[in-house]
Amino acid sequence: MTRNAWNCVAILLLVLLVGIPLAQAQAIGLPEVSKQTIECFDCHKKQNPVIYQQWGASKHFRANVGCYECHGAEKSDPDAYLHYNQTIATLVTPKDCSRCHSREVSEFTASHHAKAGRILGSLDNVLADVVEGNKGMRTMGFPEGVSAAAVNGCWQCHGSQVKILPDGKPDPATYPNSGIGRLNPDGSEGSCNACHVRHEFSAAQARHPDTCGKCHLGPDHPQKEIYEESKHGIAFFSKEDEMNMDNNKWIVGEDYWAAPTCATCHMSQTRTQPVTHDIGERISWNNRPIVSVRPEVADAKMGLKGKDMPWQVRRQNMMDVCSACHNKNWVDNFYIQYDALVELYNEKFGKPGKELAALAKPLKPYDAPFSAEIDWVWFELWHHEGRRARHGAAMMAPDYTHWHGTYEIAKNWYTEFIPTLTEMAEKGIHSGDAEKVAAGKALLAKIEEITNTPDHMWSVDKMDPAEKAKRDKARDEFKARYKE
Amino acid sequence: MTRNAWNCVAILLLVLLVGIPLAQAQAIGLPEVSKQTIECFDCHKKQNPVIYQQWGASKHFRANVGCYECHGAEKSDPDAYLHYNQTIATLVTPKDCSRCHSREVSEFTASHHAKAGRILGSLDNVLADVVEGNKGMRTMGFPEGVSAAAVNGCWQCHGSQVKILPDGKPDPATYPNSGIGRLNPDGSEGSCNACHVRHEFSAAQARHPDTCGKCHLGPDHPQKEIYEESKHGIAFFSKEDEMNMDNNKWIVGEDYWAAPTCATCHMSQTRTQPVTHDIGERISWNNRPIVSVRPEVADAKMGLKGKDMPWQVRRQNMMDVCSACHNKNWVDNFYIQYDALVELYNEKFGKPGKELAALAKPLKPYDAPFSAEIDWVWFELWHHEGRRARHGAAMMAPDYTHWHGTYEIAKNWYTEFIPTLTEMAEKGIHSGDAEKVAAGKALLAKIEEITNTPDHMWSVDKMDPAEKAKRDKARDEFKARYKE
Amino acid sequence: MTRNAWNCVAILLLVLLVGIPLAQAQAIGLPEVSKQTIECFDCHKKQNPVIYQQWGASKHFRANVGCYECHGAEKSDPDAYLHYNQTIATLVTPKDCSRCHSREVSEFTASHHAKAGRILGSLDNVLADVVEGNKGMRTMGFPEGVSAAAVNGCWQCHGSQVKILPDGKPDPATYPNSGIGRLNPDGSEGSCNACHVRHEFSAAQARHPDTCGKCHLGPDHPQKEIYEESKHGIAFFSKEDEMNMDNNKWIVGEDYWAAPTCATCHMSQTRTQPVTHDIGERISWNNRPIVSVRPEVADAKMGLKGKDMPWQVRRQNMMDVCSACHNKNWVDNFYIQYDALVELYNEKFGKPGKELAALAKPLKPYDAPFSAEIDWVWFELWHHEGRRARHGAAMMAPDYTHWHGTYEIAKNWYTEFIPTLTEMAEKGIHSGDAEKVAAGKALLAKIEEITNTPDHMWSVDKMDPAEKAKRDKARDEFKARYKE
């Protein structure tokens, strides 16, 4: 939605009068609290005192940016409604925020974060809508129903597509929602208060790892848990007091040296880089898909300008962050270790798994995604376990790399994935249905082929004899030591 | 146990002399430290200095309420024993605490917390006693043995039934124990120090979410983990310093506005409600059972006075808490989202699952609970996964609602529950045993019926064709976008 | 590596001049910052300012122990290299640290921590190298390849065997690595900065439970999670400010009384015991193996001097710690509860499981460890679930004892372990292969035998009728109460 031009004029006037170049005029503030905002206080200070107090603790207070400056709306806005003589909107969108914070919104809008709402049609979306859900939640905006699993689950992180009801208020299935990729009625994507939490909107809060943990945790992307195990997280949580989190300038090595947070490495200013709200500029692997890809590849698919930023540049950006605390040799070696783990996963499990899963498709009793056990088994292998291993290595949390990662991948592969596929292949071969017979044979052949590669042949006792002898000796020595 | 009347007389005298109305005379304190308590110091200050120091940090210190005032006992008390010339008891029970804190104990006694020890005969109890345990732990109080899995597991949260040995001391299988529903020798239920941890007994400690996390975590009720993911927990853990946790008056919106803790919403004073130690007064769903019920229904079954407090009143109580930080529209919409998730679970999984599990019973090889795989599968579906989804939605932690909740429910339902039931049904039908044949047919018919409801028919490729076309289109668009 | 003798001489001189007895002369410090260290600053202060600042916050700063004092090397050291005119080494090993901290290193070297790198040949090692991994990571030190799962997983906690390249720098597969049992080129074992984190090396950091959580978490030894659930952890995390963590003298009951950390109980000074860096001196059960053993037994197998320290002495050591906060009766009873849980696990699951797993071996299709499902099932039963139950009881976290522990053990035993074994036995019996027939019969007989012991016969409806009647009654009463 657009707002009346008064605020912008005020800021512009300030800029002109005080002679500040426009480029630096971001978020300068207003000369006084507006009369409209003072009217808001009349009720909300009493009814919802915490909102008022949190605002009082915010930088917005000092800048005289109050309720109306953000919630005020034009009558023509799709989500405007009359509220005690003022035209306001419930939602404050990135477009609204951009009136003062244009650079931040522009960076954010170019990021994957801003596109998190585009999951319609994804496997995750099928899960929430169909497999876990139903159309039992009926609201004015969803007369044919919507899945409460999507509303309470996916949308809370990914963002809802906000529907505005005839009275100008958001449909209850779509709001409350502060998902980072929220699709707003004004066409903007995202929700700044996903991280800059209402109604203090502080940078300190957004720099705190727990804030990222609202979404980056759980079986499929446990970054918060990974961080907590890492030396980085250990240092942070034991030295939070020394982090100078509230400082305006917050440069690692200048303003704090106790620990890095998620923001330190992925977003915040360094001695040589500016702060960025595009979370991908320092990431050199995209570990989301079945097989890890370089981020510029992912950006190209999404039409983001990051398509022109090769991973080597992004890695240099991150290495610059690392150098505040680690010497070059250490950082170089770390990346050799991390890359090797990504490659191990990709080559041993990701790529062959993808081939096998594709060959199994014609053998499913029903077409629907997640209608056969193999769908779940394969999904967890790459989407949950495979990501955990790669993310664990990226952030140096060995339990996530190994026990929650490669251990679970291997267990799944050898005790679930391959046996389930084999059973499907054999069932197909004995089905009498020519198509299924052919599909079964093709799948079985591929299973045989992959099982007999160096990566997997240990599982059918075909390890290289010299290697086996060496291992047997080590095992005997270990057993002798522990007499188990 | 009852104690000598001296303390109460002292308090009464104080009340009369200073003219304080009795209703306000709770926890007033004594004029000086008793000579008995001073005698306790002689040894315990040296032997267990932390107890002495923690007491020194407590409000009890300022009130001259020392060791003897709580541990002193009458000779006739079942758990009294002579200890260096003083008659004392190890346990301090709610009945003891009620001598000064009568209102708190009376509220607590009416709550589900106080009844947590009543698990004898429950499925959980069978698990710990029989399935996981044995009678290998022999103590004087359990000459025929008791299960160490119950002692170290269940009882530590639910509370033990304390047995007093001939020397007046508690049997070691039943103490140490600070389970919140402990069954005490004096007939009282509960343990105040479950939350008001020894020996400081502070309100600040009881207000801290970690305190609740002693029991409210883990696979079957991860409230602490859920809170940590929620915006509420994020705000708390990053702004704990601003919470004014030690304040006597602790009203959200007046004394703090950084974040709510568990206590804030469920127990503590608000601008309009007094503090309550009955944890159920603001809860509008009981999500413990297989199918969620309203709390007054659960209270009626347990004979609690909460049976007369309808859920609408409780919800109003909670909405009053919410209003400190959120406007009415936000709160109303939140409850629409939450209710929809409870209903989704109840209708799609809870109710039909309950019917199916009942029909499977005659087909189990052995009668004993947990003797067949289906028992475990169904138990985890409702007791673990079903609760996680509902609790996750209740407290707005989307990963718990979805990945730890509805995702796991659906995975269990389609890959474990239905296949296991189907196998049991078919085995029964082919058993030759007339009863089992009938039971198998009945079960299979019900499986068919439920699988062909709108909620489940997607899994046998019977989705409404229009819906399917819409979904296929979205999937193709998504794939095109990500080229997967 | 050894370093030039200058430092030691300086310390010795100081000792002689000031007349401090040598035994107290540990870590005294140097008269001024060395010129070599000042040269290091020239670059590193600019390039890696955090290292410089962390050092500035350390005790090393006040002792004039700078970069060169730790990283300086002799030319003859295997890992020495020339770096801008100075001969230095990347690694600082316990041997280096022992020049000033000899007592600490000597205690540490006698501990299990120092031996954590000796996993070559263990089951865990097979997992990372073969099952999860491959030889895809090629470095100069590993021309035939090494497993990235070991490098990024196991080694990060257990420690790598550091390989030095011709240029004197560590091979990137083996460094960065701060695993606590690292095998260093100078023959020393361990890494002091596993806990005394670079570059502040503080005691406060090492006392913090999160530091231990770098490795002691996850499915197979979740000590950190257990601690967090326990009253100990609850008290710590809510009262961290009162812990006086930075104090030099840090005696529980004298310097702090808010809570104990891992260090408090296992390592730190008490009123009667000195600090120890041998983590095993207060532990009375080793719960690592399939069946719990006393620590002196484990120490004897590893050739550690702890073989002469019986568990009773260690328990007394721990009871001394407990007594700071708990009275004797409480502590005695706690140990009765804990011992009973260890025994329950050992007798009901550990010992019979070990027998069954051994009998199943000849029935595996392939010999290789983890090539059959039974390998995984049994491994998780003892290595993951069995440890969680025992560790949970050791530290009083009931959810870990029960839900993550004995519940999972029992579920695994009755729904995975016994059924998988039974299937293997039956397959063997019907195989026609005489050896397999015999092995199958032997296994089946043992399954029958164990299933009919008092611990397990409930699962085939053979519970003692009197016991069963009692339980049925309790169940009916419970159901009547909850009308389920």
Side-chain angles (χ1 to χ4, degrees), chain A residues 235-236 239 242-244 250-260 264 324-325, chain C residues 48-58 198-200:
Chain A
F236 174 77
K239 290 167 174 287
E242 303 169 26
M243 291 293 294
N244 203 7
W250 197 63
I251 297 178
V252 62
E254 287 184 19
D255 301 300
Y256 63 104
W257 42 83
T264 301
C325 310
Chain C
N48 322 107
V50 168
I51 299 181
Y52 174 76
Q53 292 290 56
Q54 287 178 335
W55 170 76
S58 76
R198 285 172 300 182
H199 273 96
E200 197 173 331

Side-chain angles (χ1 to χ4, degrees), chain C residues 210-352:
Chain C
D210 282 359
T211 301
C212 310
K214 168 77 191 302
C215 297
H216 291 276
L217 87 176
D220 60 332
H221 42 34
Q223 285 98 339
K224 190 199 159 191
E225 291 98 324
I226 287 168
Y227 173 78
E228 282 181 350
E229 189 195 356
S230 77
K231 281 259 170 84
H232 290 166
I234 292 166
F236 174 78
F237 287 108
S238 58
K239 288 167 174 285
E240 199 173 337
D241 290 349
E242 303 170 26
M243 289 293 294
N244 204 7
M245 298 282 277
D246 279 310
N247 220 46
N248 284 322
K249 178 169 83 67
W250 198 62
I251 297 178
V252 62
E254 286 184 20
D255 301 299
Y256 63 104
W257 43 84
T261 72
C262 313
T264 301
C265 299
H266 291 288
M267 305 184 77
S268 299
Q269 199 174 346
T270 73
R271 290 164 297 147
T272 65
Q273 291 177 80
V275 67
T276 176
H277 284 71
D278 178 354
I279 209 80
E281 293 184 2
R282 303 173 187 173
I283 285 179
S284 44
W285 279 112
N286 181 329
N287 292 320
R288 196 199 61 78
I290 296 172
V291 175
S292 293
V293 296
R294 293 303 182 177
E296 61 271 28
V297 178
D299 282 3
K301 283 179 184 171
M302 300 182 86
L304 299 177
K305 68 175 187 186
K307 72 184 194 309
D308 300 323
M309 191 184 215
W311 68 268
Q312 294 89 341
V313 171
R314 302 175 196 246
R315 179 159 292 185
Q316 277 307 323
N317 289 345
M318 187 62 94
M319 284 176 152
D320 161 62
V321 183
C322 303
S323 75
C325 311
H326 299 282
N327 69 50
K328 191 180 171 323
N329 194 44
W330 195 98
V331 177
D332 289 344
N333 283 9
F334 158 71
Y335 271 112
I336 293 173
Q337 295 185 358
Y338 169 40
D339 288 349
L341 194 284
V342 173
E343 198 176 345
L344 164 60
Y345 162 79
N346 276 353
E347 300 304 322
K348 181 161 180 175
F349 302 106
K351 289 178 188 173

Side-chain angles (χ1 to χ4, degrees), chain B residues 226-293:
Chain B
I226 288 168
Y227 173 77
E228 282 182 350
E229 189 195 356
S230 76
K231 281 259 170 82
H232 290 165
I234 292 167
F236 174 77
F237 286 109
S238 58
K239 289 167 174 286
E240 198 172 339
D241 290 348
E242 304 169 25
M243 289 294 295
N244 203 6
M245 298 281 278
D246 279 310
N247 220 48
N248 283 323
K249 177 168 83 68
W250 197 63
I251 296 178
V252 61
E254 286 185 19
D255 301 299
Y256 62 104
W257 41 84
T261 73
C262 313
T264 300
C265 301
H266 292 288
M267 304 182 78
S268 298
Q269 199 174 346
T270 73
R271 291 164 297 148
T272 65
Q273 290 177 80
V275 67
T276 174
H277 284 70
D278 179 354
I279 210 79
E281 293 184 3
R282 303 173 188 173
I283 285 178
S284 45
W285 278 112
N286 181 330
N287 291 320
R288 197 198 61 77
I290 296 172
V291 175
S292 293
V293 296

Side-chain angles (χ1 to χ4, degrees), chain A residues 62-80:
Chain A
R62 294 285 293 167
N64 293 316
V65 173
C67 317
Y68 186 75
E69 281 61 53
C70 300
H71 285 283
E74 297 284 354
K75 273 183 189 159
S76 57
D77 290 347
D79 58 345

